Amino acid sequence: MESEQRLKRKRIYRPYSRAQFLSRRSLILCLSFFVFLMFLSSERFPIRTVSFHPVVSVPSLSILSKNSLQDSFHAKLRFPLSVKDRVLFPDHLLLLVSDKIDEAEKLDCVYHKVLNHKDVVRQRVLSVDEFDGFRSVVRCPLPPWNYSAAAGLMWRGHGVDYSLSLRSNRTVHSWDRLVYEAAFDGKTAVVFAKGLNLRPHKESDPNRFMCQFGLKNSDEEDEGFVVMTEAIVAAQEVVRCSLPSSIRNNRDLAQGIRVTVVLASRNDVEHVRMPSAVRFRNSRSYDHRRNRMRQKENIAVPSVAKLYNSKSYQTKRNDGKFELCACTMLWNQAPALREWIMYHTWLGVERWFIYDNNSDDGIQDVIEELDFQDYNVSRHTWPWIKTQEAGFSHCALRARNECKWVGFFDVDEFYYFPRHHRRGLPGQNLLRSLVANYSSSRTIAEIRTACHSFGPSGLSSPPLQGVTVGYTCRLQSPERHKSIVRPDLLNETLLNVVHHFQLKKGFRYLNVPESSIIINHYKYQVWETFRAKFFRRVATYVVDWQENQNQGSKDRAPGLGTEAIEPPNWRKQFCEVWDTGLRDFVLANLADPAAGSLPWEKSLL
C-alpha cells in the first residue's frame, strides 16, 4: 500500500525535474540581470522598492554619482572618431573626419608626447562644423610644446586609448603647401591648391601641372593614383583639369575620390585608360602600375581635397534661375549680417551664399534666424584662411546653376541709388531691376560700381540703428569698385581680383555712373569694431595690417601703423565730406512710420 502511494507521488511531482528547475532558475537570473541593467543605464526606469538595494562597486580613486555612472556607461559604447586628415595652421590645428558630430561640447582633442605615446594631453575642441555635406571639420588648439600635432579625438568621459585614434593615420599637412578643395565643373575638375607659386592676378602656364585622381588615403598603403590628366588652365590658386572618361560617364564612381595637383614634365603626360568600375578600388592592372611609375617621376602636392557628386551644386532650379544673388566671405561679422541682408533683399537680392572663414561669434544662429524668415541664406563652411579669391571662384561655380547674376561684395558695403532718392522715386527692387536690364545682353557680363569709404563720423560706439544710419562722413574720392557678374560668362580660369572676375572673350564690363549708383563702404568704423577687422584679412593677396608691407596701399588704414592701438582722435578721421544720402534713403523707405524703427533692429520685447 505504501509503495503504491510512493509511485503515485512520483507521478504527481515528475514535472519538477532537474532540467525544469534549471530552466526556471535561468529565467530568474536573466530577469534579475535585466532589472540591474535598467537601474544602471537610465533614470527612465527608476527602482523605488525598499527591499531592493543593489550595491555598485567603484574604484577606490573615484566616487561616481548616478549621473557620472550613467555617462560612463554610455561612453563605453562610443568609439574614438577616425581622423582622416590634419592641417596645421599658424594658430590652430584642423582635423577632417567623416563622422557627423552632434555633441561637439563633449569632444576633446588628444595629443601624445613626441617620444612617449603613452603620455597624452587632452584639450577641448575650439569648434566643430559640418563640411561639404560629407565630412566634419574640428578645430583644435595648437599642440603643447614637445607634443605631436598628430592629434586624435576622444569623447569626454571615455578612457584615453590613444592607440585607437592613431591606428589609421598620423599624417599632418602643412597649410603652406596643400591641395584643399576640388569641385566638378562639366567635363573638368577645378582644383584649389596652396603653395604652387602661381602668379597673383594673372594666368599661369598650365603645362607645368597635371591632376591625379585616385583612392590613395593616408590610412592606407601607398597604392598610387588611378589616373592622371592634363591641366587646361591655371591661375592664382586654381588649376582646372579634364576629367577621366570613366568619371565623366559615371560620376558616382568618383564619390569621395581624392584629387591632387602634380608638378610635372609634359613628356610624362599621356592619356591613360581609366580602370573599369569593378576594378576601380583594387586595380593592379598594367595601367595602374604605369601610373605608379609616373607618380614617382613627378611631385604630387599633399591633398585633403575630395570630389563629391553633390546634387545641390549640379542641378538647375526647375522654376528658372534667380535674377540676382550675392556672395561674400567673412570672419566674425555676425552682428552686421541682419542689416546687410535685409537691406539688400529689399533692393532685390533673392539668394545669399555666406562663406564663413572660421567665425566663432554665433553666426550660425543669425543665419538660421534669417533663413527661417525666408531670406534664403545658406552658410558654407570655408576653413581655409586667406583664400578669399579662391572662395569666390568656388562660389561662382556653386551659384552658376541657380543665379543669372551674382554680386561679390562685403558685409560693410551697401548699394545706394542717389538719383532715385533725389527724385523721390520708389527704391524697392532697384538693384535687381538694374541687372535685369542686361540679362539678355550679348556683350555685358559684369557691372562695376565705385565705392566711397566712410569713417567713424565722430562716433565712439557702434550706432544702434546700423551703419547705414550711423555713419555719415566719408573720404571725398571713391576707392576701388565692386562687381556683379554673370557666372556663366566667366573665364574658365575663374581668375578674380578681390571682387571682379576675368570674363570670357567677347564680353566686357559696364561702369555705372556714380550719379546713378554708388556703394557706401563703411570701412573705418568705431575703433571697437575696426580693431577686430585689424587682426584678420580674408583676401589672399592683401597683407594683414599688422604686417609691415605695402604701407601706401589702399587696402591699409592710412596712419594706423602695424599695431592695434587706437590712434589719437580716431573718431574724427577719414572725414572729408558729410554725406547723409543713404541714411535719408533708408529712413524714408524702410523705417516704421509710427515707431521709427528699422527692420534689422532687434525687438526689446
Side-chain angles (χ1 to χ4, degrees), residues 175 180 194 237 329 357 382 384-389 536-544 547:
W175 175 235
Y180 56 91
K194 200 82 172 175
E237 294 188 3
M329 184 179 293
N357 199 209
W382 187 261
W384 320 115
I385 62 174
K386 289 195 71 66
T387 54
Q388 187 177 35
E389 288 84 351
R536 171 73 77 84
R537 309 298 299 277
V538 296
T540 312
Y541 303 104
V542 177
V543 298
D544 291 333
E547 296 181 15

Side-chain angles (χ1 to χ4, degrees), residues 236-394:
Q236 296 186 155
E237 294 188 3
V238 178
V239 176
R240 184 189 292 269
C241 293
S242 56
L243 284 172
S245 58
S246 294
I247 294 180
R248 286 200 307 268
N249 297 334
N250 186 358
R251 288 191 179 177
D252 290 337
L253 287 176
Q255 195 75 348
I257 190 172
R258 195 178 295 262
V259 60
T260 193
V261 173
V262 175
L263 305 176
S265 166
R266 299 304 289 180
N267 295 330
D268 294 328
V269 180
E270 301 174 8
H271 292 284
V272 181
R273 179 173 58 86
M274 189 73 169
S276 66
V278 176
R279 296 157 48 206
F280 191 73
R281 286 187 176 272
N282 299 302
S283 173
R284 294 291 181 183
S285 65
Y286 169 76
D287 288 341
H288 185 72
R289 293 194 302 271
R290 192 175 183 183
N291 274 326
R292 291 187 64 188
M293 293 175 61
R294 289 164 58 193
Q295 180 188 352
K296 293 179 181 179
E297 296 172 358
N298 302 296
I299 303 173
V301 179
S303 174
V304 298
K306 293 186 178 183
L307 282 166
Y308 292 101
N309 189 26
S310 178
K311 302 297 183 183
S312 61
Y313 293 0
Q314 305 297 329
T315 306
K316 292 184 178 180
R317 298 177 66 244
N318 294 328
D319 55 347
K321 295 183 179 181
F322 295 114
E323 192 72 45
L324 178 59
C325 304
C327 178
T328 197
M329 184 179 293
L330 51 75
W331 171 74
N332 278 2
Q333 292 178 296
L337 269 183
R338 286 175 56 84
E339 180 180 11
W340 187 68
I341 287 178
M342 289 181 174
Y343 172 76
H344 287 100
T345 296
W346 181 75
L347 286 182
V349 177
E350 303 165 283
R351 175 79 167 93
W352 299 88
F353 300 93
I354 309 298
Y355 275 55
D356 182 9
N357 199 209
N358 300 336
S359 297
D360 56 7
D361 62 346
I363 188 174
Q364 179 64 25
D365 294 336
V366 176
I367 289 177
E368 287 178 357
E369 178 188 353
L370 288 167
D371 196 48
F372 181 76
Q373 297 174 22
D374 295 327
Y375 281 96
N376 200 7
V377 186
S378 63
R379 171 177 171 263
H380 183 82
T381 302
W382 187 261
W384 320 115
I385 62 174
K386 289 195 71 66
T387 54
Q388 187 177 35
E389 288 84 351
F392 282 177
S393 298
H394 190 276

Side-chain angles (χ1 to χ4, degrees), residues 472-537:
T472 55
C473 199
R474 61 171 172 82
L475 298 176
Q476 183 171 4
S477 300
E479 293 182 323
R480 297 191 178 281
H481 62 267
K482 297 299 168 72
S483 298
I484 303 175
V485 302
R486 294 168 65 180
D488 56 335
L489 298 179
L490 301 180
N491 184 281
E492 61 182 352
T493 62
L494 298 175
L495 180 64
N496 64 89
V497 182
V498 184
H499 294 88
H500 64 269
F501 284 79
Q502 185 170 315
L503 307 176
K504 286 184 178 180
K505 289 184 178 180
F507 291 90
R508 63 182 181 87
Y509 62 82
L510 171 70
N511 281 323
V512 184
E514 289 184 41
S515 58
S516 298
I517 184 173
I518 195 74
I519 290 177
N520 280 13
H521 183 189
Y522 299 104
K523 182 176 181 179
Y524 309 111
Q525 300 185 31
V526 296
W527 181 254
E528 174 188 339
T529 304
F530 185 84
R531 180 174 55 185
K533 186 177 180 181
F534 177 92
F535 283 106
R536 171 73 77 84
R537 309 298 299 277

Side-chain angles (χ1 to χ4, degrees), residues 85 87 96 131-132 135 173 178-183 190-193 212-214 216-217 225 254 256-261 301-308 384:
D85 291 292
V87 183
L96 288 167
F131 181 59
D132 67 25
R135 293 177 288 177
H173 300 292
L178 184 70
V179 172
Y180 56 91
E181 286 277 357
V190 180
V191 185
F192 299 82
Q212 288 184 332
F213 303 82
K216 176 184 175 183
N217 288 305
F225 285 84
I257 190 172
R258 195 178 295 262
V259 60
T260 193
V261 173
V301 179
S303 174
V304 298
K306 293 186 178 183
L307 282 166
Y308 292 101
W384 320 115

Side-chain angles (χ1 to χ4, degrees), residues 386-494:
K386 289 195 71 66
T387 54
Q388 187 177 35
E389 288 84 351
F392 282 177
S393 298
H394 190 276
C395 187
L397 287 176
R398 187 179 177 195
R400 188 168 55 193
N401 286 326
E402 293 188 54
C403 312
K404 296 180 183 178
W405 292 89
V406 182
F408 291 89
F409 56 108
D410 298 330
V411 296
D412 58 357
E413 296 168 340
F414 290 75
Y415 280 85
Y416 167 50
F417 295 80
R419 181 180 298 171
H420 280 73
H421 177 54
R422 286 195 301 267
R423 296 179 179 179
L425 299 175
Q428 192 168 8
N429 294 325
L430 276 177
L431 193 57
R432 186 166 71 213
S433 299
L434 171 67
V435 300
N437 291 333
Y438 300 96
S439 293
S440 301
S441 173
R442 296 184 179 182
T443 57
I444 303 300
E446 179 180 5
I447 297 174
R448 294 185 177 183
T449 307
C451 302
H452 279 304
S453 295
F454 280 68
S457 306
L459 301 179
S460 300
S461 58
L464 296 178
Q465 288 193 293
V467 298
T468 55
V469 174
Y471 298 115
T472 55
C473 199
R474 61 171 172 82
L475 298 176
Q476 183 171 4
S477 300
E479 293 182 323
R480 297 191 178 281
H481 62 267
K482 297 299 168 72
S483 298
I484 303 175
V485 302
R486 294 168 65 180
D488 56 335
L489 298 179
L490 301 180
N491 184 281
E492 61 182 352
T493 62
L494 298 175

